[in-house]
Amino acid sequence: MKFFRPAPLLLMQALALLLALPSCRENPNATTAPTPVAEPMLVVAKTDPSLSVIRIHSTIQSWNPAQPWEKNPSRNRSALGALVAQNQVLTTAEMVADAIYIELESTDGKRRAPARVKCVDYEANLAVLTLNNEEKVTEFFAGLIALDIAPSPDLRDTLEIIQVENNGQSLVTPAQLLSAEVVSTFLPGQFFLTYRLKGSLQSSASSYSVPVFQNNQLAGILSSYDAKDQISDVIATPLLTRFLAEAQKESYQGFPNIGISFSPTEDDHFRRWLKLPADQGGIYISKVRKGSAADVAELRKGDVILSIEGHPIDRRGYYTDPQYGSLHWVQLVRGTKSAGDQIKLKIWRDAKEIEVAATLTRQEESTRLVPNYSFGKAPNFLIKGGLIFQELTKPLLEAYGEEWQSSAPLNFLDALSNPEKYQENHDSMICLTAVIPTQATVGYESLRNMIISKVNGKPVRNMKEMLQAFSKPRLGSPSHSIEFLEENLVVHLDEQLSNAIDQALLKRGLQKLSRAE
């Protein structure tokens, strides 16, 4: 793991060293392709599964959060997608995240066609693809069979993991459904119903993700495989059903949030302080996000959620599902409801039970003060006279290394964890992340990891306002002034000299000095 630690630069070396800054690694929580294992099980399918699956090839190229003016090297991924209704192909969102090119291929290799994303939900890790050229749809999918979605399988059922060899031969691996759990399969902190299957996959037909069948119907999409334990994580059947239904709507709403942070109520001292009866479970609300469904419903910090939709919640935050047993309470919100649905809660407040109804909503990532992800979106930045400014995002925090949660600047981490402290004055957090030593930045070389509050006396809420504030200095002043939230410090940047530095950077090959989209 490389760390984002910009080193002092010489003016004449600015461009070269800028382009050599360490890049962040791929998300360590991201799904990995199945690893080869020995002794695969090959069985004969009742029908040919290759008639219902499509090869997917994608070229991925993400932006470099530590060097926002450039992209990381491209890489290729291949997977098997499931053909569903209306000649659409279902796959994981991870297959198309930051994709610059997507191609579909028939399993016999005779047909290829460029494709595009019709609908994607990065949180649920699902995407639907369609062909770029609608006139080619009938020709490309001729002779193929669209899959129905299977009923939700029971624990101990045998499912079939489908792979296709390079020569088009189908391989079907029986795998037993051991458990159903609410876990994150792609983005950390995004929890959805996931099946855990036991079965040894064929090595030679490995791909990034593959479909899972039951009785010739689609039962899930494999998102990861542990070769050591021969355990597959599979995006669960109910999630596929709800995603595909939402994807057909004119405006995709996706899976909702309620907007709280919570703590278990296992500690006896804590329970006595809350005056919770011994036979009562519940989860403690430790934070309510401003503007969320919980906020609108007037839930507040200190409330204890006792039940959701009539399902009692235990002290750890689990309820009893009639089919899959003990599941995390999040499944009752994100796994069974849509944005706009109402959910009924039983709350413990001031030593009394009350009932609350909340209308669920979905928070778009672009509205967060510190976005958790920004796939397909170029990061905003500004280079001015050698000062490098960026919008704070979680990918930028992750560029501080594998231990970013402890090694990243504390003020940045606080903005991520406590956005409500900053939202009154900020739409996004604009930060000084590095300084190129130039004639314009003499004395400021060691400054970094500071949040901007004002430029030229004007409050800065976002990168667009930052650029506007830099359009000219204060009346009668030859320099720009930059103020910070954390320090009683004002940085002065000579306008004429900083403009000359900017032109020098452009002449040395930097294509642009700013982005504010």
Side-chain angles (χ1 to χ4, degrees):
M1 168 56 57
K2 295 183 179 179
F3 292 82
F4 177 38
R5 294 287 189 271
L9 309 176
L10 299 175
L11 174 59
M12 299 305 294
Q13 298 173 319
L15 177 64
L17 290 184
L18 271 173
L19 300 179
L21 282 174
S23 59
C24 72
R25 69 189 291 275
E26 190 173 9
N27 189 330
N29 295 298
T31 305
T32 57
T35 305
V37 294
E39 299 180 1
M41 296 180 65
L42 176 62
V43 301
V44 178
K46 298 176 183 177
T47 62
D48 186 358
S50 66
L51 297 177
S52 299
V53 299
I54 301 291
R55 297 189 197 275
I56 304 170
H57 308 288
S58 61
T59 301
I60 307 294
Q61 191 172 32
S62 60
W63 287 93
N64 186 341
Q67 300 161 227
W69 48 87
E70 71 171 16
K71 286 189 169 185
N72 292 313
S74 62
R75 58 193 188 279
N76 297 319
R77 289 176 179 167
S78 294
L80 289 178
L83 179 61
V84 294
Q86 299 178 336
N87 291 323
Q88 297 172 1
V89 179
L90 182 66
T91 185
T92 62
E94 195 171 2
M95 265 299 296
V96 301
D98 288 318
I100 58 175
Y101 181 74
I102 304 172
E103 183 180 67
L104 301 184
E105 179 189 7
S106 59
T107 53
D108 60 12
K110 296 180 179 180
R111 286 167 282 181
R112 287 176 175 259
R116 61 179 175 86
V117 177
K118 180 181 183 294
C119 184
V120 61
D121 192 313
Y122 296 109
E123 296 175 5
N125 195 18
L126 287 170
V128 169
L129 309 181
T130 187
L131 293 187
N132 280 349
N133 189 342
E134 295 183 0
E135 296 179 357
K136 297 289 186 180
V137 168
T138 301
E139 176 185 348
F140 183 87
F141 292 107
L144 302 182
I145 302 172
L147 290 164
D148 293 326
I149 305 300
S152 297
D154 293 323
L155 297 179
R156 303 301 172 184
D157 277 1
T158 297
L159 307 185
E160 298 170 334
I161 301 174
I162 306 302
Q163 298 170 280
V164 178
E165 291 277 29
N166 293 332
N167 61 8
Q169 181 182 4
S170 300
L171 299 179
V172 182
T173 301
Q176 188 178 49
L177 176 53
L178 299 181
S179 66
E181 302 176 23
V182 180
V183 298
S184 58
T185 64
F186 177 31
L187 294 176
Q190 304 295 337
F191 299 97
F192 289 93
L193 186 64
T194 302
Y195 297 148
R196 292 275 165 86
L197 272 60
K198 177 76 170 181
S200 175
L201 292 186
Q202 165 66 276
S203 60
S204 59
S206 295
S207 56
Y208 209 78
S209 66
V210 295
V212 177
F213 286 21
Q214 186 179 36
N215 298 325
N216 298 315
Q217 295 178 310
L218 184 63
I221 300 289
L222 184 144
S223 60
S224 68
Y225 175 64
D226 183 338
K228 179 180 178 181
D229 296 326
Q230 299 180 357
I231 298 294
S232 298
D233 280 356
V234 173
I235 301 172
T237 311
L239 197 58
L240 307 188
T241 302
R242 296 192 55 244
F243 171 72
L244 290 172
E246 292 288 334
Q248 303 312 313
K249 296 180 180 179
E250 184 175 347
S251 177
Y252 180 77
Q253 295 294 316
F255 300 88
N257 308 93
I258 192 169
I260 65 169
S261 299
F262 77 98
S263 301
T265 59
E266 295 178 284
D267 184 81
D268 290 336
H269 297 288
F270 187 38
R271 294 180 61 82
R272 283 195 292 271
W273 179 75
L274 293 170
K275 299 180 181 179
L276 273 171
D279 60 348
Q280 192 64 268
I283 52 172
Y284 176 82
I285 298 179
S286 56
K287 185 184 297 184
V288 176
R289 190 183 73 238
K290 184 177 179 181
S292 66
D295 185 33
V296 173
E298 299 183 346
L299 294 176
R300 61 196 190 203
K301 179 180 178 179
D303 288 344
V304 176
I305 299 179
L306 301 177
S307 70
I308 300 176
E309 291 289 280
H311 296 275
I313 309 300
D314 70 17
R315 301 182 183 193
R316 299 176 302 132
Y318 289 80
Y319 75 100
T320 301
D321 181 84
Q323 185 173 16
Y324 296 124
S326 183
L327 293 178
H328 197 272
W329 69 270
V330 170
Q331 171 65 9
L332 292 171
V333 177
R334 308 204 78 183
T336 63
K337 300 292 183 179
S338 299
D341 289 349
Q342 191 176 80
I343 193 167
K344 295 180 180 180
L345 310 169
K346 185 178 289 186
I347 303 297
W348 182 262
R349 178 185 294 171
D350 300 327
K352 296 179 182 178
E353 286 188 13
I354 62 172
E355 292 189 354
V356 175
T359 301
L360 297 174
T361 58
R362 175 186 171 99
Q363 183 182 19
E364 295 300 326
E365 201 61 29
S366 59
T367 66
R368 291 184 184 273
L369 183 74
V370 183
N372 289 307
Y373 57 90
S374 54
F375 299 114
K377 181 181 182 299
N380 292 334
F381 74 98
L382 168 65
I383 300 176
K384 187 63 181 175
L387 301 180
I388 301 177
F389 303 96
Q390 295 180 246
E391 282 185 345
L392 183 61
T393 63
K394 190 174 179 182
L396 177 59
L397 289 171
E398 291 171 344
Y400 283 85
E402 192 169 318
E403 303 297 327
W404 65 270
Q405 290 172 305
S406 58
S407 62
L410 294 179
N411 55 339
F412 290 4
L413 294 171
D414 186 60
L416 175 68
S417 301
N418 303 293
E420 64 279 356
K421 292 170 54 176
Y422 306 89
Q423 286 173 325
E424 182 177 353
N425 299 313
H426 299 268
D427 299 324
S428 58
M429 306 302 289
I430 309 301
C431 309
L432 175 65
T433 56
V435 177
I436 306 169
T438 70
Q439 289 175 301
T441 60
V442 174
Y444 300 142
E445 295 89 348
S446 63
L447 296 181
R448 55 179 50 83
N449 304 330
M450 302 167 69
I451 298 173
I452 311 303
S453 61
K454 295 180 180 180
V455 172
N456 293 328
K458 300 177 182 178
V460 172
R461 296 188 63 90
N462 50 54
M463 188 60 76
K464 287 185 178 179
E465 291 189 3
M466 182 87 162
L467 293 176
Q468 292 171 357
F470 264 120
S471 61
K472 58 181 179 179
R474 286 183 175 182
L475 186 63
S477 173
S479 62
H480 300 285
S481 63
I482 306 161
E483 300 175 51
F484 304 91
L485 282 183
E486 308 92 340
E487 303 286 343
N488 185 20
L489 171 69
V490 179
V491 167
H492 295 279
L493 195 64
D494 184 272
E495 181 186 24
Q496 186 174 0
L497 186 55
S498 63
N499 287 342
I501 299 298
D502 293 344
Q503 293 304 310
L505 288 174
L506 288 172
K507 288 180 180 179
R508 292 195 61 83
L510 199 60
Q511 293 184 351
K512 61 193 311 182
L513 297 173
S514 66
R515 187 187 296 114
E517 299 174 351

